[in-house]
Amino acid sequence: MKRALVLNGGGSRGAYQIGAWRAFEELGVRFSAVYGTSIGALNAALFAQGDLALAEDIWEHITAGQIVTVEEGERFSIERMVSRKRDVIPFLVENARHLRMDVKPLEKLVRENIDEAKIRAGGMGLGVMTFRVPQLQGVPMTLENMKPGSLEDWVLASAACFPIFPERRIDGQLYIDGGYYDNLPVDLALAGGADEVVAVELHPEPTHPEYARMPWLTMVKPRRDLGGFLDFNPEQLRVSRTLGYCDAMKAHRCLDGFLYTFHPVGALAVTPAARRVMAAMTRFDAELVGRGALSVGPAEAPLITALERETGGGKLSWKDVWLRGVELVAEVMGHRVDAVYDAAALLRQAYEFCHAQPPAPAFDEAAVAAAANAGPRALLACLVRQLEAGGFPTNALRRLAGYAGVTAAAMMVTYGQA
């Protein structure tokens, strides 16, 4: 079996890949080759070099100033752009008018940290994706086809995000960012003989949806945006590394969860609780459907819709139902996504919180509005108390459907204790 690692391009979001690498090390997952585009090419070279500690140190301390500099006196500001522009295309449109970015800091970073001799001696396959201009031709380049001493140039060519970064000239040809051709070079790995691929994406939407369900592909990808293209805020980079670690562990079934991350949960232990929660949610949604039977359009199922969010659209198991219920509770309670939780303990804590709050004197529109104004946690406590007191009155269902996530979380707290 030949297993290859494939790394996505995405600027500062590349910190996520280093967290995934840490998980691979702990799991003992081994690769015979690694391929990358843009920032993925840089991380791929570090991976082939086999120096995780160096990669972690780079990504722990990296700043925007270690990637680019801007000409003095130029009104353009990276920090201003990053706070306003969150995606690559608007970023390019904004900066095509400036063309003032100097990538000498990136060159220095690459040349000081990439050891081509060590990589060649290590024997791991390595490939990067580039894009030749003006021919507009994708050029995959593997280590074995690179002239000795040219690896750093090919890495920099793969990351030459034109027009804000200049083209890279190699042997008389001009190259720019390989993401213009293939931002996740799975095909390059397959052409190299891989029969198993682990791909680390940097975006919630898959680059190659045509491969998403293939049995030879293990996909590690975030479920939420990882920040701006040049957003080198230290806290954001730390969060990205943690999420990369957690998502890689989940992809290899060593941790559980969708948006959040939990220590492994036993399916048999949580199935009865999941059935209770689903029964309560279905009764709620069915009542809304019945009351709106003459309405035009699809039937409403707000609680089930809230539960299914973040699951990817596949069929859910009872364990999935229970975990998503806990995630709804975690979201209402304001828990961070970049941590590993004991799901049962988190649910107990939410239950204790709800019962530590004073009950409302009456459950009516005014009580719901007051609790909602006080915040989702206050509303959660209000709804849990009412469920335990006998359930929601029929005339309140339409109003509560407007708080579907909190209402579903209340049912989880009430009925979901395993």
Side-chain angles (χ1 to χ4, degrees), residues 55-78:
E56 289 177 327
D57 183 69
I58 289 172
W59 280 99
E60 184 174 351
H61 299 100
I62 197 168
T63 65
Q66 290 177 282
I67 304 298
V68 294
T69 58
V70 181
E71 284 187 6
E72 218 174 305
E74 174 61 55
R75 293 173 59 193
F76 171 73
S77 162
I78 293 174

Side-chain angles (χ1 to χ4, degrees), residues 47 57 127 197 226 229 268 322 352 358:
F47 190 93
D57 183 69
V197 173
L226 294 176
F229 180 65
L268 291 179
W322 192 82
E352 292 165 1

Side-chain angles (χ1 to χ4, degrees), residues 354 360 362-363 367-368 371 377-387 392:
C354 291
F363 188 82
V368 171
R377 299 206 303 173
L379 180 58
L380 177 70
C382 175
L383 299 187
V384 167
R385 288 301 189 90
Q386 181 59 30
L387 282 171
F392 303 135

Side-chain angles (χ1 to χ4, degrees), residues 21 45-58 113 118:
W21 182 0
L46 291 169
F47 190 93
Q49 195 167 305
D51 200 337
L52 175 56
L54 172 64
E56 289 177 327
D57 183 69
I58 289 172
N113 291 285
K118 183 177 180 181

Side-chain angles (χ1 to χ4, degrees), residues 321-353:
V321 167
W322 192 82
L323 286 171
R324 273 299 296 150
V326 177
E327 291 191 340
L328 291 173
V329 174
E331 191 172 355
V332 170
M333 294 297 291
H335 291 298
R336 298 174 63 102
V337 296
D338 58 321
V340 181
Y341 298 97
D342 180 312
L346 187 154
L347 199 55
R348 285 194 302 272
Q349 290 165 5
Y351 179 87
E352 292 165 1
F353 168 83

Side-chain angles (χ1 to χ4, degrees), residues 1-4 32-33 35 186-197:
M1 181 181 68
K2 188 175 181 181
R3 182 188 295 120
S32 57
Y35 304 90
V186 173
D187 290 340
L188 181 53
L190 298 176
D195 49 26
E196 183 177 340
V197 173

Side-chain angles (χ1 to χ4, degrees), residues 152-367:
E152 293 94 337
D153 288 320
W154 286 108
V155 169
L156 289 165
S158 183
C161 191
F162 185 83
I164 52 169
F165 292 4
E167 311 98 318
R168 196 84 196 169
R169 186 178 295 274
I170 302 175
D171 293 334
Q173 298 288 323
L174 292 177
Y175 299 88
I176 61 174
D177 195 306
Y180 285 106
Y181 181 74
D182 189 350
N183 206 33
L184 186 72
V186 173
D187 290 340
L188 181 53
L190 298 176
D195 49 26
E196 183 177 340
V197 173
V198 177
V200 184
E201 289 262 22
L202 298 178
H203 313 280
E205 295 301 318
T207 302
H208 289 296
E210 69 275 17
Y211 291 148
R213 297 184 182 276
M214 293 297 99
W216 45 263
L217 177 65
T218 298
M219 183 67 71
V220 179
K221 70 181 183 69
R223 290 184 175 271
R224 59 172 52 189
D225 183 71
L226 294 176
F229 180 65
L230 284 179
D231 189 354
F232 287 91
N233 176 279
E235 176 60 13
Q236 177 60 55
L237 296 181
R238 185 199 64 76
V239 169
S240 293
R241 292 197 305 274
T242 301
L243 292 177
Y245 174 87
C246 290
D247 290 341
M249 285 291 193
K250 285 188 280 190
H252 288 84
R253 303 180 185 277
C254 292
L255 291 173
D256 280 326
F258 295 92
L259 182 62
Y260 288 81
T261 305
F262 305 106
H263 294 295
V265 171
L268 291 179
V270 301
T271 293
R275 288 180 179 274
R276 292 193 299 269
V277 172
M278 181 53 71
M281 291 185 183
T282 303
R283 284 194 298 270
F284 183 102
D285 286 350
E287 177 66 20
L288 281 181
V289 171
R291 290 172 65 80
L294 298 180
S295 63
V296 178
E300 297 181 50
L303 303 197
I304 290 176
T305 299
L307 188 80
E308 290 179 331
R309 183 169 45 88
E310 308 292 349
T311 63
K315 185 175 182 179
L316 301 185
S317 67
W318 288 113
K319 175 179 170 179
D320 292 336
V321 167
W322 192 82
L323 286 171
R324 273 299 296 150
V326 177
E327 291 191 340
L328 291 173
V329 174
E331 191 172 355
V332 170
M333 294 297 291
H335 291 298
R336 298 174 63 102
V337 296
D338 58 321
V340 181
Y341 298 97
D342 180 312
L346 187 154
L347 199 55
R348 285 194 302 272
Q349 290 165 5
Y351 179 87
E352 292 165 1
F353 168 83
C354 291
H355 286 81
Q357 310 308 306
F363 188 82
D364 53 24
E365 286 237 359

